[in-house]
Amino acid sequence: MKLRPVAESVIKTRIAKTGIAATSLRLSAIRIGLGLALPLLLLSGSLNSQVTVHSFEGIDAATPGSGATLRVVDPNGAVGTKQYLEWIDTAYQAYDKTTSKAVYSSLMAGDTPWVENGMPNCVGTAGNGVALFDRLASRWIMAVRQGSTSTGTYYYCIAVSNTDDFTSAMFKWFTYAQFLDNALGTNSHGHTYFPDYPKIASWPDAYYVTIDLEDPDNGYQEVGVLACAFDRANMLKGTTMRNPQCFRTPSTLGALFLGHSLLPADVEGTVGPPAGTKEAFVSIENPSSGNSSTKLNFWQFHVDWTTPTNSTFTGPTATTVTSYIPGCYNTSNPTNTVCVPEPSTSSTNNFIDSLGDRLMHRFAYRRFPTAPAQTYLVSQAVQAGTGSLTKTAIRWYEFSAPGTTITSGTINPSDTYFRFVPSIAQDKVGNLAVGYSVSGTTLSPSIRASYLNLRGGSTTPTEFKIITGTADEENAYHWGGYNSMTVDPVDDCTFWYVNEYFTTPQIGTGVTWRTRISNFKIPGCS
């Protein structure tokens, strides 16, 4: 969850008509969604072919089985060899890829792996969970931040499965808990920086984690980032991991860090990078003056498990890209990117956060047999309209190496809708697919995606609908910052995507959010 206390007065004003304080997070029961797959056929003008979208209901706010949940949620997921795994802030569920049927008869509490293994520092309801499938090892990964702002003590908790099949009688989790406070550091008041917005990615030599460092005495402003390498080799075996190797950036913390929320590169497909390839990280470079930027930042991490003093974390290396204005960017308050309207906004004055001040999960790496042999994809929300806080669109980038741009583009259909919180991936033949939310004064928050081809096919994006929302989130501004697009490791063609939407207005202290899981293939991949 992206904290926004620096914009608290703005948020309280915008939701005042609902009678809910901005910091009020009420709990309510949730249950598992067991919806059937629903196909949707759409004509692709770019490829003159059809895309079939299958979608089914994921975890909803009304699903029984968890004790409680918040009225904001971070839907996230990944596709594996046999199942799809969805994670929300409090719980998870796996689904059979063929039947869409839930694997577990009741929702699994988010801390289940650590509870089962008796790890008390990783027990309890937490946020910012990430589900990941390690495609090179065919294992499931779950990771979450735990801890308390009242004590200033935090842990990063990682669970690694021993198999790729949740239904296996031999299935179990290898679990790890890493105390973070020493690596996070403290501010001038001696208070530990708050670890927010963590991301984890799989690379051959480590599981790489990035965490925003936020100052609890300055409105939780992002002042830096922690980047860590975790011992993937031993974690896959379930043995004691070697100490994580971590670096903080920038070297001096205090002021707002304009390049916050680094994303680590995550391997797509089943072919890893050449041996010895350093892990890459990318971030936005928010404007230091004015409202536009022409830069993205790159870092590289070399981990040496034998001689840790030889490990290096280098960067940032600024790379010039096509000029952009971060979505909903406000120069007087750069950490407040809340401007996406809904049909109810005219009466509630409630807006949604575009998360335009950061690049969005994931930073997807893929290796091809022909040039360009290595590509990295990432996406963000940018301003597409004229004037302040106007329509947002989706910007995507392709790089051949950290800091080396191949191409980029903007998905901005000719309507008045805001497109935001994208997630991007690429199949084995170079089809790019990006999923995102779309909303406007005449359209409740809905889920859509677009595709194009990066290896000789059409580069004109084709947009299609996944599901259209029929109600609004009227009592919160937070939106699906962890939504995720991944590619099936078996056929290396099928995209899987999860995001949130509403069919019943979420008002007052109520929770009515829903999540939708979808999958589709782009023509030309088989």
Side-chain angles (χ1 to χ4, degrees), residues 297-316:
N297 299 309
F298 287 86
W299 288 259
Q300 294 190 73
F301 199 141
H302 164 68
V303 63
D304 188 326
W305 292 111
T306 303
T307 310
T309 54
N310 290 337
S311 295
T312 58
F313 184 68
T314 57

Side-chain angles (χ1 to χ4, degrees), residues 130-421:
V130 175
L132 183 72
F133 190 74
D134 182 339
R135 298 160 189 82
L136 301 182
S138 288
R139 302 286 191 86
W140 291 102
I141 311 298
M142 291 173 58
V144 66
R145 176 205 66 219
Q146 287 281 14
S148 168
T149 55
S150 61
T151 64
T153 300
Y154 303 101
Y155 290 83
Y156 195 66
C157 305
I158 301 176
V160 181
S161 71
N162 69 332
T163 176
D164 63 343
D165 187 0
F166 285 105
T167 66
S168 170
M170 303 301 292
F171 183 91
K172 67 178 179 179
W173 291 105
F174 304 136
T175 51
Y176 300 86
Q178 179 60 40
F179 179 66
L180 288 177
D181 290 24
N182 294 337
L184 296 172
T186 58
N187 63 15
S188 59
H189 300 281
H191 297 149
T192 303
Y193 287 116
F194 179 73
D196 198 16
Y197 210 66
K199 296 293 184 290
I200 184 171
S202 178
W203 204 250
D205 59 7
Y207 292 123
Y208 286 94
V209 173
T210 57
I211 302 173
D212 278 351
L213 305 177
E214 297 179 349
D215 189 343
D217 295 303
N218 190 17
Y220 288 87
Q221 177 174 274
E222 293 100 344
V223 297
V225 173
L226 181 70
C228 296
F230 282 79
D231 183 11
R232 176 176 177 267
N234 282 320
M235 295 168 80
L236 284 170
K237 294 184 289 187
T239 56
T240 301
M241 70 175 181
R242 290 167 286 193
N243 289 333
Q245 299 184 33
C246 298
F247 295 86
R248 282 199 303 260
T249 187
S251 56
T252 301
L253 307 181
L256 174 64
F257 182 43
L258 297 173
H260 61 79
S261 305
L262 276 64
L263 295 177
D266 185 39
V267 174
E268 200 87 82
T270 56
V271 180
T277 302
K278 298 177 182 179
E279 169 69 318
F281 300 76
V282 65
S283 84
I284 197 172
E285 179 62 21
N286 285 296
S288 58
S289 62
N291 62 0
S292 64
S293 176
T294 59
K295 303 293 183 183
L296 296 182
N297 299 309
F298 287 86
W299 288 259
Q300 294 190 73
F301 199 141
H302 164 68
V303 63
D304 188 326
W305 292 111
T306 303
T307 310
T309 54
N310 290 337
S311 295
T312 58
F313 184 68
T314 57
T317 299
T319 298
T320 300
V321 296
T322 302
S323 178
Y324 63 90
I325 299 174
C328 300
Y329 197 72
N330 184 342
T331 54
S332 63
N333 192 354
T335 60
N336 174 18
T337 51
V338 181
C339 82
V340 177
E342 308 168 278
S344 61
T345 297
S346 60
S347 59
T348 65
N349 205 32
N350 189 72
F351 294 79
I352 295 173
D353 192 350
S354 73
L355 290 169
D357 65 337
R358 63 199 62 208
L359 301 180
M360 296 304 298
H361 176 73
R362 306 166 41 245
F363 185 30
Y365 168 90
R366 182 176 283 276
R367 187 176 179 185
F368 289 97
T370 58
Q374 300 184 84
T375 66
Y376 301 77
L377 298 181
V378 74
S379 57
Q380 67 177 128
V382 299
Q383 184 173 303
T386 57
S388 178
L389 306 180
T390 54
K391 175 186 175 182
T392 57
I394 306 302
R395 171 73 62 83
W396 58 267
Y397 305 90
E398 180 188 26
F399 305 95
S400 60
T404 303
T405 306
I406 299 176
T407 186
S408 65
T410 303
I411 298 170
N412 181 30
S414 56
D415 54 36
T416 61
Y417 302 142
F418 287 60
R419 289 163 175 81
F420 58 108
V421 293

Side-chain angles (χ1 to χ4, degrees), residues 55 59 92 103 108 156 210 269 276 290 318 323 361 385 413 441 443 462:
S55 74
I59 302 170
Y92 65 91
V103 169
M108 303 297 287
Y156 195 66
T210 57
S323 178
H361 176 73
T441 57
L443 177 68
T462 297

Side-chain angles (χ1 to χ4, degrees), residues 1 25-28 68-73 89-90 125 511 513:
M1 181 186 300
L25 299 176
R26 299 298 179 89
L27 304 179
S28 178
T69 189
L70 305 177
R71 59 188 172 91
V72 294
V73 65
D89 275 338
T90 57
T125 298
V511 285
W513 49 262

Side-chain angles (χ1 to χ4, degrees), residues 404-490:
T404 303
T405 306
I406 299 176
T407 186
S408 65
T410 303
I411 298 170
N412 181 30
S414 56
D415 54 36
T416 61
Y417 302 142
F418 287 60
R419 289 163 175 81
F420 58 108
V421 293
S423 182
I424 198 168
Q426 184 176 196
D427 68 20
K428 66 182 179 182
V429 298
N431 290 313
L432 172 160
V434 57
Y436 44 86
S437 293
V438 55
S439 183
T441 57
T442 60
L443 177 68
S444 290
S446 302
I447 306 173
R448 296 187 184 182
S450 290
Y451 68 90
L452 53 90
N453 187 273
L454 296 171
R455 303 184 76 84
S458 173
T459 57
T460 300
T462 297
E463 182 178 77
F464 55 92
K465 299 176 183 177
I466 292 175
I467 196 163
T468 299
T470 57
D472 297 349
E473 177 184 60
E474 301 181 27
N475 59 0
Y477 64 92
H478 181 80
W479 198 259
Y482 280 69
N483 76 88
S484 183
M485 182 76 77
T486 57
V487 179
D488 192 318
V490 177

